Amino acid sequence: MSNPKDSLKRECLSLQQREVPFKLVPSTGPTAPFPISLSVRVAAPDNCNMFDIYEIAIILTIASFDAFEATISVDAKASGIDKSLASAIQTTLNNAYKPSAPSSSWRLEALVDLIERDYRKLLMAVPGTLELYMGEDANGASMRRYAPAILPEVIDPSKAAEEEAEKQRQKEADEEAAREYWRLKKLEDEAAEIERKKKEAELRRLEVEMDPGSFEKAKVLSKKEREEQDAARDKQGKRQAKTGSNKKKFDPEAHAARKVARGE
């Protein structure tokens, strides 16, 4: 009698010989290598070419090698079907699939045979998940075909609330990031302005060193110089408010001479 581990290797080899795509992935967590995931893609048989669903992707999860026990899940996204249809197929397969302990077998080939035999029945399990339309077969002849229906997504209230909370958190994070950006931008602008002024001051200093005459400081007079300047200004005379300029002052002698000249 083979143990579960050896039997799994042997049956995977059989799937490979039948050219059934599969992938065996052991866990890398604390309980490694379990659980082990065995992904198997079962292609549509030739008598089911009316479906636009070309394969059913299943995943067997093996919790341990203590016994021939596994659970089946259907990958709705990989299969291209609605989640409700995937759930129905999953229930059917789990009820029908029973690994056999007495024969030391995981019955992987029997599971593949079951999916191929009931392919049509499995896909038609949930009404409304497939749409009928007129199409063509591989030879171009008209035929009725089935495609996955586009169904409205059922929104879980708790999930919707969580998504809304996540959007709010993201909004607050974006606002905080924007505030921080403009704070840093202001600091950068202020630093750039200080640096610009420093460069201008340094440039003026260099210009003065190269040509002192191009930059003269305003002369600051001493106290003595200011007194001398004020005294010189006083010597020029100050015009009183009631006196006009010298040119307009009354001259009696000149006035008498003008009267004689006029014969007065």
Side-chain angles (χ1 to χ4, degrees):
M1 181 183 294
S2 300
N3 60 43
K5 183 178 180 180
D6 294 337
S7 180
L8 182 62
K9 291 180 180 179
R10 185 175 62 253
E11 293 185 49
C12 285
L13 181 60
S14 298
L15 292 180
Q16 186 175 4
Q17 292 172 348
R18 288 183 56 172
E19 297 184 350
V20 176
F22 73 92
K23 185 177 182 180
L24 192 64
V25 181
S27 172
T28 57
T31 60
F34 300 104
I36 296 175
S37 297
L38 175 61
S39 303
V40 182
R41 295 175 178 266
V42 182
D46 294 338
N47 63 348
C48 291
N49 63 348
M50 74 288 295
F51 293 101
D52 289 349
I53 302 163
Y54 305 108
E55 65 180 13
I56 294 179
I58 63 172
I59 301 173
L60 280 82
T61 303
I62 302 171
S64 71
F65 284 147
D66 296 337
F68 289 89
E69 295 179 357
T71 56
I72 300 174
S73 58
V74 176
D75 190 337
K77 185 176 181 180
S79 302
I81 59 178
D82 184 71
K83 292 180 180 179
S84 61
L85 178 56
S87 178
I89 296 174
Q90 178 176 304
T91 300
T92 300
L93 295 180
N94 275 300
N95 290 336
Y97 171 70
K98 300 293 181 184
S100 175
S103 62
S104 300
S105 172
W106 290 99
R107 299 183 65 234
L108 297 182
E109 286 192 88
L111 178 60
V112 172
D113 292 339
L114 170 64
I115 296 174
E116 289 179 344
R117 185 184 71 242
D118 294 343
Y119 199 90
R120 179 189 177 92
K121 181 180 178 181
L122 292 171
L123 291 182
M124 302 293 285
V126 180
T129 56
L130 299 181
E131 291 181 342
L132 177 65
Y133 72 99
M134 291 303 298
E136 297 179 350
D137 61 12
N139 298 320
S142 298
M143 68 177 300
R144 293 193 302 176
R145 300 189 61 82
Y146 295 90
I150 301 176
L151 302 177
E153 185 179 357
V154 179
I155 301 177
D156 185 351
S158 61
K159 184 178 180 181
E162 182 180 347
E163 290 178 353
E164 186 63 29
E166 178 61 28
K167 288 181 181 179
Q168 183 62 29
R169 287 193 293 269
Q170 186 61 46
K171 179 182 178 182
E172 292 175 356
D174 292 343
E175 291 175 351
E176 179 62 26
R179 286 193 293 269
E180 181 64 12
Y181 169 80
W182 289 114
R183 186 184 70 82
L184 295 176
K185 183 70 167 57
K186 181 180 179 182
L187 293 176
E188 291 177 359
D189 292 344
E190 291 176 351
E193 180 65 15
I194 293 173
E195 185 64 23
R196 184 186 66 80
K197 291 181 178 179
K198 286 183 178 179
K199 289 182 178 180
E200 288 182 354
E202 179 65 16
L203 182 61
R204 287 197 299 269
R205 186 185 66 79
L206 293 175
E207 289 176 351
V208 170
E209 289 181 355
M210 296 175 63
D211 184 10
S214 63
F215 184 80
E216 295 182 357
K217 292 184 178 180
K219 184 178 180 181
V220 180
L221 299 178
S222 65
K223 183 177 179 181
K224 183 178 181 181
E225 289 174 331
R226 288 198 303 273
E227 291 175 349
E228 291 176 352
Q229 189 179 68
D230 292 340
R233 189 182 300 111
D234 291 340
K235 290 181 180 180
Q236 295 178 359
K238 296 181 180 179
R239 188 177 68 182
Q240 300 298 322
K242 293 183 179 180
T243 60
S245 62
N246 293 333
K247 187 175 182 180
K248 292 185 178 181
K249 287 184 178 180
F250 180 73
D251 186 351
E253 295 179 359
H255 179 67
R258 284 195 296 273
K259 288 181 69 175
V260 172
R262 289 197 300 268
E264 296 179 359

